[in-house]
Amino acid sequence: MKRIGVLTSGGDSPGMNAAIRAVVRKGIYHDLEVYGIYNGYAGLISGNIKKLELGSVGDIIHRGGTMLHSARCLEFKTPEGQQKGIEQLKKYGIEGLVVIGGDGSFQGAKKLSEQGYPTIGVPGTIDNDIPGTDFTIGFDTALNTIIDAIDKIRDTATSHERTYIIEVMGRDAGDLALWAGLADGAETILIPEEEHKMEQVVQKLQRGHERGKKHSIIIVAEGCGSGVDVAKEIETLTGFETRVTVLGHIQRGGSPTAFDRVLASRLGAQAVELLLQGKAGRTVGIENNKLVDYDITEVLSRKHSIDRDMYRLSQELSI
Ligand code: F6P
């Protein structure tokens, strides 16, 4: 293998730049030429491809977003779109591809692999919803952004003795909500993986109120529905004054944490290592702090699940 490509796709996540840097530097270290594909699969189809040098990835390790830009590309879901992408890769003589992204990006990588094109998936998403790794690139940074925001909200919540509902991202996964709730001592955490009854949420709030609690923090994962609806229901059932914060895309930006930079560097480099070993159709990840790789089809057939022990603990600590 002489020439490889790298692209980022789907929702960006802090640490993607560190992963791109690792792919480029590790590739060049092993005498490969590395090409950057801009705008995800859309750029692959249109041939938005440029050679990257050592200096192209200088001064990006600490930056959020992705220097290669990203896109959600419907055309690449079609066999025609995939064919166009493969033709571009052949035109540029690119023999292996590293795809950094989440579930949708991995679906594209799987399609390329099925058509005999060597592709490795690197999990990059704030949602932490990719099987085959304990953590995805960007999760830790997003989590810290959420915690920083909740700490601030807590100050004003105490001053005004209100109930605060905070809606966090995560698509269908509750990891961001669960970890943030545990880290911030939230009274209630609503995640899509666990059923919840509003009467119980309300009872808990009322018990706290009777004990003289000055404020309550409720974290709602977006996969459970809207924080605004939860707030309305609580207000109707309790008469408590509520306020809602939807953290939104602030969670996707910002300088990656040290954890995400190190994770991204390890996973990006490992993806190149696998291509050099002639492996294809794999995903990279870390489990118990060790690098692992799995068949991409198998990873996509697995369902992501939350850590039930952590959820139980969050319940026990927020009585
Ligand atoms: O997958 C990352 C993510 O931020 C999800 O948490 C969220 O549901 C989604 O992307 C938002 O996507 P968009 O930026 O396209 O609105």
Side-chain angles (χ1 to χ4, degrees):
M1 193 166 286
K2 288 267 166 284
R3 195 174 283 181
I4 62 169
V6 55
L7 65 80
T8 49
S9 151
D12 62 352
S13 69
M16 278 186 164
N17 276 328
I20 296 165
R21 173 181 177 271
V23 171
V24 173
R25 297 258 165 114
K26 172 86 174 171
I28 295 175
Y29 179 86
H30 288 284
D31 296 325
L32 298 174
E33 286 181 348
V34 187
Y35 279 71
I37 295 144
Y38 289 76
N39 289 333
Y41 290 118
L44 180 58
I45 290 173
S46 65
N48 193 352
I49 300 173
K50 288 184 194 92
K51 190 171 178 212
L52 298 174
E53 309 292 349
L54 285 177
S56 316
V57 291
D59 205 25
I60 63 165
I61 196 166
H62 61 300
R63 293 190 198 282
T66 158
M67 65 162 275
L68 292 176
H69 299 239
S70 192
R72 300 194 193 276
C73 176
L74 289 179
E75 193 183 353
F76 201 73
K77 292 189 175 164
T78 66
E80 297 75 36
Q82 292 151 21
Q83 208 40 52
K84 281 187 201 167
I86 290 177
E87 276 159 25
Q88 291 288 0
L89 289 165
K90 285 189 179 149
K91 187 172 130 194
Y92 280 85
I94 297 169
E95 299 159 284
L97 182 65
V98 177
V99 171
I100 306 166
D103 180 74
S105 316
F106 277 22
Q107 294 288 355
K110 177 185 157 208
K111 290 288 175 205
L112 289 173
S113 305
E114 282 169 357
Q115 293 177 45
Y117 193 85
T119 310
I120 306 289
V122 175
T125 164
I126 63 165
D127 301 337
N128 207 39
D129 60 348
I130 307 285
T133 187
D134 290 342
F135 297 105
T136 56
I137 298 164
F139 172 69
D140 185 63
T141 308
L143 177 62
N144 279 284
T145 302
I146 295 170
I147 287 164
D148 187 43
I150 298 178
D151 285 349
K152 290 183 171 118
I153 289 169
R154 190 180 272 282
D155 291 343
T156 172
T158 314
S159 309
H160 288 269
E161 305 192 10
R162 286 171 178 155
T163 300
Y164 272 82
I165 287 88
I166 296 146
E167 183 189 308
V168 302
M169 278 187 170
R171 204 178 286 275
D172 301 321
D175 289 52
L176 278 173
L178 174 58
W179 282 68
L182 197 50
D184 246 306
E187 276 67 30
T188 297
I189 305 168
L190 303 184
I191 56 173
E193 293 88 346
E194 289 286 333
E195 263 189 59
H196 64 271
K197 294 203 171 61
M198 207 33 106
E199 306 89 76
Q200 284 169 359
V201 172
V202 163
Q203 275 167 15
K204 201 179 202 182
L205 276 177
Q206 279 163 337
R207 273 203 312 270
H209 205 71
E210 280 154 24
R211 276 202 339 257
K213 245 172 176 283
K214 295 289 175 231
H215 67 252
S216 294
I217 303 277
I218 298 179
I219 302 188
V220 181
E222 65 174 348
C224 282
S226 141
V228 174
D229 291 344
V230 173
K232 275 190 198 140
E233 217 174 330
I234 289 174
E235 230 168 61
T236 310
L237 293 170
T238 61
F240 294 168
E241 191 179 8
T242 61
R243 289 289 185 273
V244 185
T245 304
V246 179
L247 288 178
H249 286 80
I250 194 170
Q251 296 161 95
R252 284 234 302 257
S255 177
T257 57
F259 181 86
D260 272 330
R261 296 180 201 191
V262 172
L263 177 66
S265 302
R266 292 175 76 190
L267 296 187
Q270 183 63 4
V272 176
E273 186 66 43
L274 294 186
L275 285 175
L276 287 166
Q277 288 171 15
K279 293 192 181 162
R282 313 285 296 171
T283 64
V284 291
I286 55 158
E287 285 176 349
N288 301 320
N289 202 25
K290 294 269 175 296
L291 288 166
V292 290
D293 60 276
Y294 292 106
D295 179 79
I296 196 162
T297 307
E298 191 253 313
V299 163
L300 285 169
S301 70
R302 272 155 64 182
K303 199 172 150 27
H304 167 73
S305 56
I306 53 142
D307 186 326
R308 302 273 155 197
D309 289 340
M310 259 183 68
Y311 183 73
R312 253 192 308 278
L313 178 65
S314 74
Q315 299 291 98
E316 287 168 7
L317 300 188
S318 63
I319 43 169

